[in-house]
């Protein structure tokens, strides 16, 4: 049977109806795709269209409203503009004026920052009932006073959770005088709340039910007794309270049902006094009060005359459940929330408890007290997960923020508490957070994505996030037009992309394109979103397959744009790292060459090596190192001043991190492949810098420094500099002591090339006496070096096997020795090493190339060889020299290589 849809279109004409007989509904009520395409959406019922608008954010509402006159009319419906959340938007006077026509029925407003507060008065929303401001440290008495004067219907004002240090008691008096209907006042960080301010609230705000004066230096205790209408009072974090007076005054407040004294210096005796003396008090919060917790007996039961005490020492769920008449379970809150009809007075208490818990747990998480580890694992985590399910959006947001905060141990080094992260995962927290991330409320999306991002540092959590569809959700959020949402989503993808198993899933979910688009979408003033996007792309670029997708998505141009124009060091560091990883796959794609061809890329990276930030220098040097694999890039780096910059970096990084030392030496190693660059490095003082780095205690630095000195030693002038600057002892030390076989091998090669006779003519230049002394000195150093080289060579084969091979020259025997002499660490050089020793040491220059081809071996390169992080060398292998005959093998020590 065909079901017909009847649509009432009040905006086209009163009671006018349109009957559509072609709108067939089948398959369980789902419209066929062809039917959807044929629908005239402007003919839908007004309430349906308005409901669709309500699921959109403000930007999308405005876009949809601009499509036609019908949607423009319905998009301006007052019910769609009774609440505004402007925290993620640039809200200034111009924006306020553009919204003023739609804000006449505005009831609830959330904003961020003092600048946004100044613009509120231009909204012409005289009927505002609730105003909530976040992160307003610069908001002043004048701004608060004007807001209060323009909104006399105000019932709720909240400024926090950070301190509003420029607000004084004068602002509170202005609020009291201008807003007689005020029911709730929550202020954080007001330094001093005077008697006059509290009395003004008591005198002019007869409906005042809730007051929170948190993180204050001083609050007049006696004046608090005049707040006779207040049911809920929070003095959390307030210092310098005289508890003898305060406990006496507060216990006499006639309507006080809930009191929060968390994070104060209250003692056990005053807690007992409040419980004993207060007639109407039902809930007392004493979270993170060190004096009280030092005195209290953990086994005490804190229920007295219907009052409950909520501390880190007892079971908070059980205590709260005792409020309910039918407390059949230890946690009655989920049951209470599911009821359609609830007792109003108890509902107020529960909502206040949730608000205080969310605020206090966030503060406790920010302080990161080690002694609360047990609390977090036993009940703190479950409390936060419960708050994620609250009916109040700001409670959900704060709970998500607390989850993102309490799991972090060291933000600088991205270290989290794995036990806490696992507790969140085991109790279903990941699914709850992902559900919030799918909410239509952007504030919830942002905070949930932040929590997911931090928790995903743990590999187990990251796996769970990926398995239940979190990557698709984060990739979708990364496309958000809300900067805060996109920023946190990019952070989640950044952390997830650390795992090799997640990189492909991020690419399949469209995450790479979304991350690249973020760089073009947001201006350079937004360092957070740019750093996270670049960091995620850097991780993805480390994968061979993903690196090609990253490049195809336009990331090369985007990242080069960042290193050229962005001044934020975090962004520069991650963008340079991403370029370094893209350039590291020279064998499998042309990203290396493409980066060099991008206008200004190499010049920008060279400039970043002078940065004051070590991380930026570290990644810029790594990028130049990998880019130097390409012949054109190598020369472009030199032309852009890269030699001077990298020599300077090598000179200045002796006391820096070993990673920076490795990359500085590695970049010089790559550049020194060119003979002209090698000469220039020597002339700029690079030899002495590399020798200094060769004295490092780190094996990775040994490899790059020895490799660079090996390449430089091909030039006779550089070889002499190495000797004169004390490079021989440094190379001998690496050759004999380094933990890296490859470093030892390259140090031996460097020594061999230094003393192959090419620098003898240069060394002999000068007065005859000086020449004789220099000759004697060089001969001594040469003998020492050759002795250590021979010892190094002998360490790879026993003398009996070597003698047999030398006598027989059998291919099978040579192959066996070659396999035994393999240095796996030298795989980056794509070679295998065969060492054959004899008693009379000579540098190999008499073995024919054809002999080694016959044996399936290649002679060693005459061109310098280099390698880079995460990639391999693609240099060609050329013979060292022409040799007369194969029989001379018996009279020399041969070093040769064979391709794997």
């Amino acid at each position: 049977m065909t079901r017909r849809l009847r649509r009432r279109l009040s905006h086209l004409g009163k009671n006018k109806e349109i009957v559509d007989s072609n709108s067939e509904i089948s398959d369980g009520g789902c419209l066929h795709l062809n039917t959807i395409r044929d629908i005239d959406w402007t003919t839908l019922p007004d309430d349906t269209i308005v409901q669709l608008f309500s699921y959109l954010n403000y930007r999308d509402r405005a876009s949809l409203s601009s499509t036609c006159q019908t949607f423009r009319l319905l998009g301006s419906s007052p019910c769609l503009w009774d609440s505004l959340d402007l925290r993620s938007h640039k809200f200034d006077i111009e924006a306020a004026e553009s919204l003023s026509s739609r804000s006449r029925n505005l009831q609830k407003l959330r904003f961020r920052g003092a600048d946004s507060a100044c613009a509120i008065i231009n909204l012409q929303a005289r009927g505002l009932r609730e105003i909530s401001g976040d992160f307003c440290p610069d908001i002043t008495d004048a701004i608060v006073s004007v807001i209060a004067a323009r909104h006399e219907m105000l019932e709720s004002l909240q400024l926090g959770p950070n301190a509003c240090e420029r607000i004084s008691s004068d602002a509170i008096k202005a609020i009291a005088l201008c807003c007689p209907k005020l029911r709730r006042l929550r202020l954080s960080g007001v330094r001093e709340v005077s008697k006059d301010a509290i009395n003004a609230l008591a005198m002019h705000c007869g409906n005042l039910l809730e007051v929170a004066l948190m993180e204050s230096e001083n609050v007049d205790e006696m004046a608090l007794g005049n707040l006779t209408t207040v049911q809920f009072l929070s003095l959390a974090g307030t210092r310098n309270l005289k508890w003898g007076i305060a406990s006496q005054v507060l216990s006499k407040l006639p309507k006080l049902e809930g009191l929060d004294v968390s994070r104060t210096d209250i003692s056990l005796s005053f807690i007992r006094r409040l419980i004993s003396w207060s007639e109407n008090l039902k809930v007392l919060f004493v979270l993170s009060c060190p004096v009280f917790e030092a005195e209290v007996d953990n086994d005490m039961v804190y229920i007295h005359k219907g009052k409950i005490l909520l501390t880190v020492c007892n079971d908070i769920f059980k205590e709260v459940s005792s409020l309910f008449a039918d407390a059949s379970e230890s946690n009655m809150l989920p049951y209470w929330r599911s009821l359609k009809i609830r007792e109003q007075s108890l509902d107020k208490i529960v909502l206040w408890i949730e608000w205080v818990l969310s605020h206090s747990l966030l503060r406790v998480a920010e302080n990161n007290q080690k002694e609360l580890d047990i609390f977090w694992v036993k009940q703190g985590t479950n409390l936060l997960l419960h708050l994620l399910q609250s009916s109040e959006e700001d409670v959900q947001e704060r709970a998500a923020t607390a989850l993102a905060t309490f799991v972090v141990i060291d933000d600088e080094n991205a270290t989290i508490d794995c036990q806490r992260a696992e507790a969140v995962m085991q109790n279903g927290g990941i699914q709850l957070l992902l559900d919030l991330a799918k909410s239509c409320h952007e504030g919830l999306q942002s905070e949930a994505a932040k929590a997911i991002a931090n928790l995903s540092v743990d590999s187990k959590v990251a796996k769970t996030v990926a398995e239940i569809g979190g990557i698709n959700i984060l990739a979708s959020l990364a496309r958000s037009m809300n900067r805060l949402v996109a920023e946190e989503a990019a952070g989640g993808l950044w952390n997830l992309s650390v795992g090799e198993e997640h990189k492909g899933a991020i690419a399949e979910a469209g995450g790479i394109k979304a991350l690249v688009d973020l760089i073009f979408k947001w201006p350079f003033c937004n360092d957070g979103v740019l750093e996270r996007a670049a960091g995620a792309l850097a991780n993805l670029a480390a994968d061979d397959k993903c690196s090609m997708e990253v490049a195809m998505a336009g990331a090369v141009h985007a990242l080069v744009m960042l290193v050229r124009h962005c001044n934020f060091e975090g962004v520069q560091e991650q963008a340079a790292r991403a370029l370094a990883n893209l350039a590291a796959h020279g064998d499998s794609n042309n990203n290396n060459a493409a980066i060099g061809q991008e206008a200004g890329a190499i010049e920008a990276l060279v400039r970043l090596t002078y940065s004051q930030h070590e991380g930026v220098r570290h990644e810029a040097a790594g990028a130049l190192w990998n880019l130097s694999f390409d012949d054109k890039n190598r020369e472009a780096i030199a032309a852009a001043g890269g030699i001077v910059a990298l020599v300077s970096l090598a000179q200045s990084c002796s006391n820096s991190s070993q990673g920076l030392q490795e990359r500085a030496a590695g970049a010089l190693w790559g550049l020194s492949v060119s003979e002209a660059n090698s000469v220039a490095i020597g002339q700029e003082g690079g030899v002495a810098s590399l020798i200094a780095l060769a004295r490092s205690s780190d094996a990775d630095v040994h490899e790059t420094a020895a490799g660079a000195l090996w390449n430089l030693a091909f030039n006779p002038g550089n070889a002499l500099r190495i000797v004169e600057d004390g490079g021989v002892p440094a190379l001998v030390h690496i050759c004999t002591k380094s933990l890296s076989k490859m470093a030892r091998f390259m140090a031996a090669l460097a020594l061999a090339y230094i003393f192959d006779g090419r620098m003898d003519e240069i060394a002999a230049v000068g007065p005859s006496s000086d020449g004789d002394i220099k000759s004697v000195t060089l001969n001594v150093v040469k003998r020492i070096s050759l002795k250590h080289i021979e010892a190094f060579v002998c360490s790879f084969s026993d003398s009996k096997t070597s003698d047999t091979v030398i006598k027989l020259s059998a291919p099978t025997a040579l192959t066996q020795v070659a396999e035994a002499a393999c240095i796996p660490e030298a795989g980056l050089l794509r070679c295998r090493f065969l060492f054959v020793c004899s008693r009379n040491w000579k540098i190999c220059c008499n073995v024919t190339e054809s002999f080694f081809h016959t044996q399936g071996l290649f002679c060693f390169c005459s061109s310098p060889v280099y390698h880079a992080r995460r990639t391999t060398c693609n240099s060609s292998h050329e013979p060292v020299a022409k040799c007369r005959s194969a029989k001379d093998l018996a009279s020399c020590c041969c070093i040769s290589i064979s391709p794997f």
Side-chain angles (χ1 to χ4, degrees):
M1 179 181 292
T2 299
R3 183 183 302 172
R4 296 187 295 179
L5 299 180
R6 177 171 292 178
R7 305 190 182 101
R8 179 174 176 275
L9 304 175
S10 61
H11 61 279
L12 295 179
K14 189 174 181 178
N15 297 327
K16 183 176 180 180
E17 294 179 351
I18 295 180
V19 177
D20 186 352
S21 60
N22 296 321
S23 299
E24 295 187 6
I25 299 180
S26 59
D27 298 331
C30 297
L31 289 173
H32 288 297
L33 181 59
N34 292 334
T35 303
I36 293 174
R37 289 173 178 170
D38 294 337
I39 288 178
D40 181 359
W41 293 95
T42 61
T43 61
L44 289 172
D46 290 359
D47 54 353
T48 302
I49 296 177
V50 171
Q51 186 69 17
L52 290 173
F53 269 103
S54 69
Y55 290 116
L56 303 177
N57 58 43
Y58 311 122
R59 184 181 290 101
D60 292 341
R61 288 181 194 175
S63 297
L64 186 56
S65 296
S66 66
T67 57
C68 68
Q69 186 175 357
T70 300
F71 282 2
R72 186 177 298 110
L73 178 64
L74 293 176
S76 300
S77 300
C79 63
L80 294 174
W81 298 95
D82 62 351
S83 176
L84 271 179
D85 186 350
L86 301 170
R87 290 175 296 169
S88 61
H89 303 277
K90 181 182 178 181
F91 185 61
D92 51 19
I93 295 175
E94 183 180 353
E97 290 176 348
S98 67
L99 288 172
S100 61
S101 61
R102 302 177 186 179
S103 62
R104 292 170 184 169
N105 296 289
L106 193 61
Q107 301 279 314
K108 184 177 180 179
L109 175 67
R110 302 187 73 177
F111 69 92
R112 176 164 291 168
D115 293 339
S116 295
C118 293
I120 289 176
I121 59 176
N122 294 279
L123 279 176
Q124 299 180 10
R126 304 301 291 267
L128 265 175
R129 298 290 194 274
E130 296 182 36
I131 295 178
S132 177
D134 297 346
F135 300 99
C136 302
D138 297 325
I139 195 169
T140 63
D141 285 347
I143 297 174
V144 174
S145 298
V146 173
I147 290 175
R150 292 292 185 94
H151 304 98
E152 62 275 4
M153 304 296 290
L154 201 62
E155 296 178 1
S156 175
L157 176 62
Q158 178 174 318
L159 298 176
N162 58 309
C164 303
E165 297 179 348
R166 299 182 65 182
I167 293 180
S168 71
S169 296
D170 292 339
I172 298 176
K173 288 189 285 185
I175 293 169
L177 290 169
C178 299
C179 305
K181 295 187 177 183
L182 193 69
R183 298 172 62 86
R184 178 190 297 141
L185 178 64
R186 295 171 178 170
L187 300 176
S188 293
V190 180
R191 289 190 176 183
E192 183 176 0
V193 183
S194 68
K195 175 182 178 181
D196 291 343
I198 296 174
N199 288 340
L201 289 172
M203 182 180 301
H204 299 285
C205 302
N207 298 319
L208 193 60
L209 299 178
E210 181 184 340
V211 173
L213 302 171
M214 301 173 292
E215 321 298 337
S216 299
E217 289 289 342
N218 290 287
V219 175
D220 190 284
E221 301 89 351
M222 289 299 297
L224 290 173
N226 296 323
L227 298 175
T228 56
T229 62
V230 170
Q231 295 179 358
F232 304 104
L233 176 64
S234 176
L235 299 172
T238 297
R239 298 167 288 279
N240 303 315
L241 278 171
K242 300 179 181 66
W243 285 110
I245 300 173
S247 59
Q248 184 176 6
V249 169
L250 295 175
S251 63
K252 294 180 180 179
L253 286 175
K255 295 186 178 181
L256 188 65
E257 296 182 16
L259 176 62
D260 178 19
V261 294
S262 301
R263 305 187 306 284
T264 65
D265 59 356
I266 194 169
S267 64
L268 178 59
S269 61
F270 294 122
I271 292 295
R272 285 174 172 164
R273 184 181 299 180
L274 285 167
I275 291 177
S276 301
W277 293 359
S278 300
E279 295 183 3
N280 295 314
L281 187 65
K282 295 181 180 179
V283 181
L284 179 57
F285 271 95
V286 196
L287 292 173
S288 191
C289 295
V291 176
F292 166 79
E293 290 165 4
E295 298 173 343
V296 72
D297 181 354
N298 292 345
D299 297 326
M300 290 179 64
V301 178
Y302 300 107
I303 302 179
H304 181 72
K305 295 182 180 180
K307 301 177 180 65
I308 64 171
L309 186 66
L310 303 181
T311 79
V312 297
C313 306
N314 57 10
D315 188 333
I316 292 177
F317 279 121
K318 184 177 180 181
E319 297 298 312
V320 174
S321 295
S322 66
L323 285 170
F324 301 91
D326 180 20
S328 56
E329 298 182 10
S330 60
N331 184 6
M332 288 289 295
L333 291 175
Y335 170 74
W336 174 259
R337 193 181 293 115
S338 66
L339 294 178
K340 294 183 179 180
I341 301 176
R342 300 193 292 253
E343 183 183 343
Q344 187 175 3
S345 60
L346 191 53
D347 198 28
K348 287 182 181 179
I349 293 178
V350 172
L351 292 178
W352 181 76
I353 287 173
E354 288 186 338
W355 181 84
V356 173
L357 273 176
S358 67
H359 196 283
S360 293
L361 292 177
L362 176 56
R363 286 298 190 193
V364 172
E366 290 170 343
N367 293 333
N368 197 21
Q369 296 170 281
K370 187 66 179 176
E371 55 268 24
L372 292 179
D373 283 351
I374 296 177
F375 164 76
W376 284 120
V377 174
K378 291 184 68 173
Q379 64 172 322
T381 302
N382 281 331
L383 284 170
L384 290 174
L385 297 183
H386 160 76
L387 295 175
L388 288 180
Q389 304 167 70
S390 171
S391 59
E392 298 296 306
E393 184 181 334
D394 62 335
V395 171
Q396 292 177 308
E397 280 188 34
R398 202 171 289 112
T401 306
L403 283 170
T405 305
F406 96 116
V407 75
V408 177
I409 297 174
D410 183 356
D411 185 42
E412 192 69 26
N413 297 309
T415 306
I416 68 169
D417 189 311
C418 293
Q419 189 176 13
R420 296 181 187 180
E422 189 166 347
V424 175
M425 180 177 63
Q426 295 295 335
N427 290 283
I430 305 303
Q431 186 63 63
L432 288 173
L433 288 167
L434 289 174
D435 288 342
L436 287 183
K438 293 186 289 186
S439 164
C440 60
H441 299 289
E442 292 177 331
L444 288 175
Q445 292 175 356
S446 173
E447 297 308 316
K450 180 190 298 182
I452 294 168
N454 287 357
L455 289 163
S456 295
V457 172
D458 181 84
S459 59
K460 294 180 182 178
V461 174
K463 182 179 179 182
T464 301
V465 171
E467 288 175 346
I468 60 179
I471 288 177
N472 285 315
I473 294 172
L474 290 173
S476 176
L477 292 180
R479 303 183 188 98
S480 173
M481 294 300 293
N482 183 312
R483 181 182 61 81
L484 295 179
V485 174
E487 179 177 323
E488 299 303 343
L493 294 175
W494 186 4
N495 287 343
L496 284 167
S497 63
V498 172
E500 295 298 322
E501 66 274 24
H502 306 314
K503 289 181 169 65
I506 293 173
E508 290 176 6
I512 291 176
K513 183 65 166 60
L515 291 166
V516 173
D517 288 344
L518 283 180
I519 296 176
F520 292 113
K521 186 184 298 182
W522 303 106
F524 296 126
C525 60
N526 297 311
D527 59 313
V529 65
L530 295 175
E531 180 179 7
R532 287 163 174 76
L537 289 171
N539 287 348
L540 293 166
D543 178 79
D544 190 21
K545 182 179 179 181
C546 285
S547 70
M548 291 187 285
E549 294 191 39
V550 170
M552 290 173 61
V556 172
H557 179 67
L559 294 167
V560 169
M561 182 177 67
L562 292 182
V563 297
R564 290 184 64 190
H565 302 298
C566 188
N567 294 323
F568 292 105
E569 291 170 339
V571 179
Q572 293 173 342
E573 180 179 0
Q574 296 307 321
R577 185 169 72 91
L579 290 172
N581 286 350
L582 282 173
H585 304 278
D587 291 347
S588 57
N589 58 54
N590 61 353
N591 291 344
N592 194 310
I595 294 171
Q597 293 167 4
E598 192 71 32
I602 288 177
E603 291 82 358
L605 289 169
V606 170
R607 186 180 68 254
L608 292 184
T609 62
Y610 293 104
S611 170
Q612 297 298 311
H613 189 274
E614 182 172 323
V616 176
R617 299 197 301 272
H618 180 285
E619 300 302 342
L624 291 172
W625 181 5
N626 286 349
L627 286 169
S628 65
F629 272 67
D630 181 84
D631 293 339
K632 292 182 179 179
N633 287 345
R634 189 162 55 246
E635 302 314 315
I637 292 170
I643 291 176
V644 175
L646 290 167
V647 168
S648 175
L649 181 62
Q651 289 171 343
S652 63
C653 70
S654 334
N655 298 321
S656 300
S657 67
Q658 293 172 340
L660 178 57
Q661 294 176 0
E662 177 195 6
R663 285 156 179 77
L668 288 172
W669 186 4
L671 289 178
S672 63
V673 172
S674 163
E675 179 68 19
N677 290 346
S678 179
V679 172
I681 291 170
Q683 293 173 345
E684 292 294 338
V687 170
S689 302
L690 289 166
I691 291 171
L693 293 179
R695 297 191 180 102
S696 167
S697 60
D698 184 72
D700 290 333
V701 181
H702 290 169
E703 290 182 7
T704 54
L709 290 170
W710 166 29
N711 278 0
L712 292 174
F714 276 75
N715 178 267
N718 285 335
L720 183 59
R721 289 188 183 96
I722 294 172
V723 175
E724 293 178 338
D725 290 340
V728 171
L731 289 168
V732 166
H733 177 78
I734 292 176
C735 186
T736 56
K737 303 292 185 182
S738 179
L739 297 177
S740 166
K741 287 183 179 180
M742 189 163 71
R744 292 169 59 200
F745 168 68
M746 288 186 294
L749 289 174
L751 290 170
Y753 281 112
I754 290 171
F755 297 109
D756 67 354
R758 285 179 292 170
M759 73 168 180
D760 292 347
E761 293 184 6
I762 299 177
V765 174
S768 58
S769 58
D770 291 345
D772 293 339
I773 295 172
K774 187 180 292 185
S775 177
V776 172
T777 303
L778 285 175
N779 286 332
V780 171
V781 175
K782 181 176 181 179
R783 284 196 298 271
I784 295 172
S785 299
L786 297 184
K787 179 180 178 182
H788 283 93
I789 295 173
E790 184 173 6
F792 171 73
V793 171
C794 290
S795 68
F796 283 86
S797 65
D798 60 88
S799 56
K800 292 183 180 180
T801 304
S802 299
D803 290 342
T804 302
V805 172
I806 291 171
K807 291 177 181 179
L808 299 178
S809 299
T812 303
L814 285 170
T815 302
Q816 291 176 351
V817 176
E819 292 294 337
C822 176
I823 302 176
E825 294 84 351
L828 291 174
L829 298 176
R830 289 182 173 173
C831 55
R832 179 164 49 207
F833 311 106
L834 170 65
F835 302 91
V836 184
C837 292
S838 70
R839 296 175 184 174
N840 299 318
W841 174 271
K842 289 176 63 178
I843 300 299
C844 177
C845 60
N846 298 320
V847 185
T848 62
E849 178 184 358
S850 59
F851 172 82
F852 283 100
H853 279 297
T854 302
Q855 309 305 326
L857 301 171
F858 262 136
C859 294
F860 188 70
C861 310
S862 62
S863 299
V865 181
Y866 59 99
H867 79 293
R869 294 177 300 125
R870 297 178 296 277
T871 191
T872 54
C873 163
N874 59 358
S875 60
S876 60
H877 298 286
E878 299 292 342
V880 167
K882 299 295 182 180
C883 305
R884 294 191 184 91
S885 64
K887 65 179 181 181
D888 291 323
L889 174 64
S891 63
C892 74
C893 173
C894 169
I895 301 177
S896 63
I897 67 172
S898 170
F900 284 117

